[in-house]
Each structure stands twice: as structure tokens, then as C-alpha cells.
Amino acid sequence: MDRTIILHYHLFKNAGTSLDAILKQNFGDKWATREFPSAGGNNTSLVEDWIRETPEAIAYSSHSMMGPIPQVEGVKVISIMLLRDPIERIKSAYRFERKQAAETFGAVLARHTDMEGYMKVRLSLPHDRQCRNFQTQRLATLVPGPEPELARAVSALGRLSVVGLVSDFSGTLKRLATAITNPFPDFSWKEVHSNRSRKEDVDVPDALEALLAEPNADDLALLAALETHLAKMASKCSDEP
């Protein structure tokens, strides 16, 4: 019998910490996390090695997995990713980094500038994707090829076992529970909100959304594609006897 694992692509400020908390509640010390070098945008071989090296683990989570979904002999991979409105994600990232007791570039920048300054600096850096179609870029790595990044990201929606919206966190968990019902029929959850940034902690002028709209046009289109994808899935399920 194949071993079944859950592989969580934990995107920064997309409710990943809340999902990890639920996975840890269900699987305890069989939840594993690790980070990887970017490896030119494809570290799948390193992730596959990680899965092979940890045969006791059930749930895996990483912020830095990139490349096609791993394929490991004797292992069924249930992949999961949460997406979010890109403007709200960037606002949340700023709030979070502003409070971090860390010396990363983002945290230092957030502590020393307002939200507008943070966004403008990050947008001025050609290779910094934190404020520029971040989710599209990450999803596109699942489907390497010459096609435009957005087209590959939309294609990747259908390759993930479970993909959902942060705004429909419970619905995503229900789909995950269905996907793993045979090996893990006792999977359960209470909705939790870990690592959440409080909106009232910083004023967010509406004008900043205009600043971010064009640099995140692909992320907004990706979100619309996801909503269509989820609606089709729901319709298909309702049509089944």
C-alpha cells in the first residue's frame, strides 16, 4: 500500500501558520518542516530526498518549495496551497514584518519606513517579488516551460490536490479532509488563526491599493481563475450521484 503524505506549500502571509497548527494537532511529531535553497526556481529533487529520508512523517510544510510537485515511488502526495487577495497579503506582510524581531531585509525595511515606503522600495528592486505577483511566480514554478508566468500559474491550479482561498479557509480544510479521508478518516480541525496581523495596528490608505494594482495584475487574474476553478469543482461534485 502506498504511503500518503500531505505536502503544504506555505506561502508567506497566506494563513499557512494556521494550517500548520491544524496539521500538527492531527499528526503531532509526524509533522515536519524544512526550508530549501531556491536552486534556480526548482528544488523538487531536494524535497523528494526529504520525503524519502523521513518515512515516519505524514505532513510536510515549507515556505521555499519550488518546482514541479514531487514524485516519489510508493508515496501518494496530497499537495495543498492557499491563495489570497494579493493586496491584502502585502498589507499583512508589512504589518507582520514591522513587528518582527528579526534582521531580515523585509523586517528592517518595515521597521524604518511606512507602508507606502515599504511597498515602493520593494517594487523598485527587479528581483524582489514580495510586492509583485508573488503568488503567480510561486505557482508558476510548478509548471516549468516557455509559456508566460500567468499561464503556467493557472495551469498549476489543476495540478495541486487541494487549492483554496484564505477567505474560505474552512472550505479548503473540508476539501483536504475529503482528499485524505481513506488514509486519515479521523482528520479534524477547529478553525484557528495563528500568526495573524491585526489590521488596526497601522493605517492603510486606500490610495496604496492603486499603487499595487498594476504590479499585481497577474495575481488578481490568478485569483479570478481560482474562483472559476473552485466553482467548476463544486458544480462537478453537486452533479455526482
Side-chain angles (χ1 to χ4, degrees):
M1 182 181 295
D2 283 354
R3 167 188 171 211
T4 298
I5 67 165
I6 300 163
L7 191 66
H8 173 206
Y9 288 81
H10 184 168
L11 301 190
F12 181 50
K13 299 313 297 177
N14 277 19
T17 302
S18 296
L19 177 54
D20 279 346
I22 290 166
L23 294 174
K24 284 187 277 187
Q25 287 169 6
N26 280 271
F27 302 113
D29 60 6
K30 293 182 180 180
W31 174 85
T33 185
R34 185 179 295 182
E35 302 304 334
F36 301 91
S38 63
N42 186 348
N43 51 34
T44 295
S45 64
L46 299 177
V47 180
E48 291 172 341
D49 289 343
W50 179 35
I51 294 168
R52 293 188 190 98
E53 292 164 3
T54 52
E56 74 289 347
I58 293 173
Y60 294 79
S61 178
S62 176
H63 294 85
S64 49
M65 293 185 294
M66 291 185 284
I69 294 169
Q71 296 183 21
V72 178
E73 186 176 358
V75 178
K76 180 180 180 181
V77 176
I78 303 296
S79 53
I80 181 168
M81 183 186 291
L82 285 154
L83 300 182
R84 183 179 186 181
D85 176 275
I87 312 302
E88 291 305 314
R89 192 199 69 82
I90 293 166
K91 293 175 183 177
S92 181
Y94 171 75
R95 295 186 190 99
F96 175 75
E97 293 202 289
R98 188 167 174 258
K99 291 184 172 183
Q100 260 192 319
E103 295 305 313
T104 62
F105 169 75
V108 172
L109 176 64
R111 289 198 300 268
H112 288 87
T113 188
D114 61 12
M115 184 176 287
E116 182 174 1
Y118 172 87
M119 294 173 180
K120 286 183 174 178
V121 169
R122 302 208 76 148
L123 287 171
S124 73
L125 302 173
H127 301 295
D128 189 331
R129 299 299 297 267
Q130 186 62 249
C131 294
R132 186 187 300 277
N133 291 321
F134 171 80
Q135 297 169 111
T136 300
Q137 185 260 342
R138 293 300 300 274
L139 257 174
T141 70
L142 274 62
V143 186
E147 294 80 11
E149 195 173 74
L150 177 58
R152 291 185 288 119
V154 171
S155 176
L157 295 175
R159 302 197 183 193
L160 289 160
S161 307
V162 180
V163 60
L165 295 161
V166 171
S167 58
D168 183 30
F169 190 72
S170 291
T172 306
L173 287 171
K174 289 176 183 176
R175 290 193 295 278
L176 175 61
T178 298
I180 62 174
T181 188
N182 288 333
F184 310 115
D186 297 327
F187 181 80
S188 62
W189 74 92
K190 290 182 180 178
E191 190 164 344
V192 295
H193 299 286
S194 302
N195 206 20
R196 174 182 277 184
S197 302
R198 296 172 60 193
K199 288 189 177 182
E200 65 268 27
D201 288 343
V202 61
D203 183 40
V204 184
D206 291 340
L208 291 186
E209 296 196 7
L211 174 69
L212 292 168
E214 188 279 330
N216 289 282
D218 284 355
D219 263 17
L220 290 165
L222 178 63
L223 206 69
L226 173 57
E227 289 171 347
T228 299
H229 173 75
L230 293 174
K232 288 180 179 178
M233 288 178 58
S235 177
K236 181 180 177 181
C237 290
S238 65
D239 291 341
E240 292 177 353

